[in-house]
Amino acid sequence: MQRVTTAAVPRIPVLTRLGVDSRLMFMVLAIAAIWIAFHLLTGGIFLTARNLWNLSVQTASVGVMVSGMVLIIVMRNIDLSIGSVLGFTGMAMAVINTNFFPQNTWWGAALTLLLGLVLGGVVGAVQGTWIARLGVPSFIVTLGGLLIFRGGAWLLTSGQTVAPLSETFQIFGGGLNGSIGGLWSWIVGAVLMAFIVGADLRTYGVRARRGLPNRPLALQVLFTGLSVLLILGFILVMNGYPDPRSGQPRGIPVPVIIMLVVTAIMMWVVRATRFGRYVFAYGGNPEAARLAGINTTRLTILVFTLMGVLAGLAGAIQTARLNAGTNSTGTLAELSVIAAAVIGGSSLSGGSGSIPGAFLGAVLMASLINGMLLLDLPSAWQNVVQGLVLVLAVTLDVYVQKRRTK
């Protein structure tokens, strides 16, 4: 009798069958563990409303840039210059603001920001063109950019610090007037909670009508409820830190709102636009993408231009937060951004990446830096820890890739 053999059916992890991203869950648990550890080590300082408010502001610049880095890594490139571009554009905005728009006018701050974003976009476009049209590896081009724009920040002012900036521009950094207050924070929170509930209901209904797999209803209700509770807790913490002048709740900082808006837009770009699909198609197989008619040269230039704009936006946040343009602004920022992207699931071999995961990676990196500052660790030890985190993140990525190819 002839024996019939069947191919082995691949085992699907339980969490995957339930529609749960195990990597994101691991990230959340890791962040929770880090927070608890630092809270104990700092004698109950870390998990206070004041420190968490400051932590959210400290996360903003990395959180703004990390989504752009995800797209660059997905396309099998790297950008080592973003810290220097952040410092260069930040210094340029400081010079523009102090020399041309010192008055506290909203249009002066807006125009300063716009010019900084344009400058960052031009820098990114030049680097992207060099990579895409001349075929020079992105590692070399952006390594050169790291040196060029760090020197450029110094040359703009001959090494002098530029300060103070206008009070309206300082709003971008979350200064004394850089938050939206308690009432508006509750309004924003209510809108976000309503949006999450509506989006989850719509997605669940669409998948059910089309016969696509869905989470069990009870699990979906649990996930939606946890999301709502997370936002509720976030608003309570932001309102728990009072304004030192009036005693009223400070509310959500403006740079945090900027970060959340950028993250939401980038998630939409990746999931719902042709541009986002092209980026992942190119990262998965560059030659197949070219044969399919994708203009890979233009795509590369656009991605690096977008990265430059986001670095310029982060430069505005950092410079406004410091209330000064300094030569050291953004130093080693590229380390935190790359580590956050890789920790969040972006594979250095290209083709895969996660905006939500990278966002959590940014929170994790900012938490490490914040906790080490509270412990008053020397900067040398802080660099050691960040370097180890980056190495471990890349090692985890290599391990995951080997497991997938088996």
Side-chain angles (χ1 to χ4, degrees):
M1 180 182 293
Q2 186 177 5
R3 179 177 296 176
V4 179
T5 59
T6 58
V9 178
R11 294 181 60 186
I12 301 176
V14 175
L15 291 177
T16 303
R17 291 202 304 268
L18 294 176
V20 179
D21 191 323
S22 58
R23 187 149 191 166
L24 291 183
M25 179 172 287
F26 172 77
M27 292 283 296
V28 171
L29 294 176
I31 292 171
I34 289 171
W35 285 12
I36 293 171
F38 277 131
H39 188 67
L40 296 175
L41 291 173
T42 57
I45 297 175
F46 190 89
L47 291 178
T48 59
R50 177 179 180 178
N51 187 62
L52 292 177
W53 195 94
N54 289 326
L55 173 61
S56 68
V57 175
Q58 292 165 6
T59 307
S61 58
V62 174
V64 163
M65 291 190 290
V66 74
S67 55
M69 183 60 72
V70 168
L71 298 187
I72 284 180
I73 292 177
V74 165
M75 291 187 67
R76 307 187 182 195
N77 288 303
I78 199 72
D79 191 343
L80 302 176
S81 69
I82 54 174
S84 297
V85 175
L86 184 158
F88 178 67
T89 54
M91 181 65 82
M93 283 183 276
V95 171
I96 292 170
N97 188 254
T98 54
N99 289 324
F100 300 103
F101 308 111
Q103 301 84 8
N104 292 318
T105 57
W106 68 266
W107 58 267
L111 193 54
T112 300
L113 176 62
L114 178 61
L115 292 173
L117 297 182
V118 170
L119 178 60
V122 169
V123 168
V126 170
Q127 293 192 127
T129 301
W130 210 300
I131 294 164
R133 295 195 181 278
L134 301 181
V136 182
S138 60
F139 180 90
I140 298 300
V141 173
T142 58
L143 180 60
L146 181 151
L147 300 173
I148 292 168
F149 298 112
R150 181 59 60 193
W154 192 93
L155 291 172
L156 280 175
T157 61
S158 299
Q160 297 180 356
T161 297
V162 179
L165 307 180
S166 67
E167 291 184 7
T168 48
F169 188 78
Q170 292 178 47
I171 290 174
F172 296 122
L176 287 178
N177 297 315
S179 54
I180 62 175
L183 176 61
W184 279 104
S185 295
W186 281 117
I187 293 173
V188 170
V191 171
L192 286 175
M193 287 186 281
F195 175 80
I196 287 176
V197 172
D200 284 355
L201 286 173
R202 183 172 61 254
T203 301
Y204 196 89
V206 169
R207 293 181 69 88
R209 287 195 301 271
R210 295 179 179 177
L212 299 173
N214 253 329
R215 293 190 184 115
L217 182 59
L219 186 62
Q220 181 62 58
V221 171
L222 175 63
F223 269 69
T224 303
L226 288 175
S227 300
V228 170
L229 287 176
L230 182 63
I231 295 174
L232 183 63
F234 174 71
I235 302 300
L236 287 172
V237 170
M238 294 299 101
N239 284 344
Y241 180 36
D243 189 306
R245 300 167 299 177
S246 64
Q248 297 298 314
R250 297 199 69 177
I252 306 174
V254 171
V256 174
I257 292 177
I258 294 173
M259 173 183 65
L260 295 176
V261 170
V262 168
T263 302
I265 292 174
M266 293 298 290
M267 288 175 62
W268 172 78
V269 167
V270 167
R271 295 178 179 178
T273 67
R274 183 180 300 176
F275 172 76
R277 291 192 293 271
Y278 283 179
V279 168
F280 278 81
Y282 178 92
N285 192 325
E287 190 60 33
R290 294 189 190 96
L291 294 175
I294 297 175
N295 189 335
T296 56
T297 299
R298 184 175 64 183
L299 189 67
T300 302
I301 296 172
L302 286 176
V303 169
F304 274 91
T305 301
L306 176 61
M307 185 72 256
V309 171
L310 294 178
L313 183 55
I317 292 172
Q318 283 283 78
T319 303
R321 180 165 168 256
L322 295 172
N323 190 24
T326 67
N327 298 307
S328 61
T329 302
T331 301
L332 295 182
E334 60 278 352
L335 172 65
S336 296
V337 175
I338 293 171
V342 175
I343 291 171
S346 298
S347 172
L348 292 173
S349 59
S352 65
S354 167
I355 302 295
F359 175 81
L360 292 176
V363 174
L364 189 149
M365 293 301 296
S367 299
L368 285 174
I369 296 171
N370 178 275
M372 289 188 292
L373 288 173
L374 290 178
L375 292 173
D376 199 24
L377 286 182
S379 58
W381 278 109
Q382 294 182 37
N383 292 337
V384 168
V385 172
Q386 291 185 73
L388 284 173
V389 170
L390 179 59
V391 172
L392 290 174
V394 175
T395 303
L396 178 62
D397 173 62
V398 172
Y399 174 76
V400 171
Q401 293 302 317
K402 287 183 177 179
R403 287 288 301 271
R404 287 177 177 174
T405 56
K406 286 183 179 180

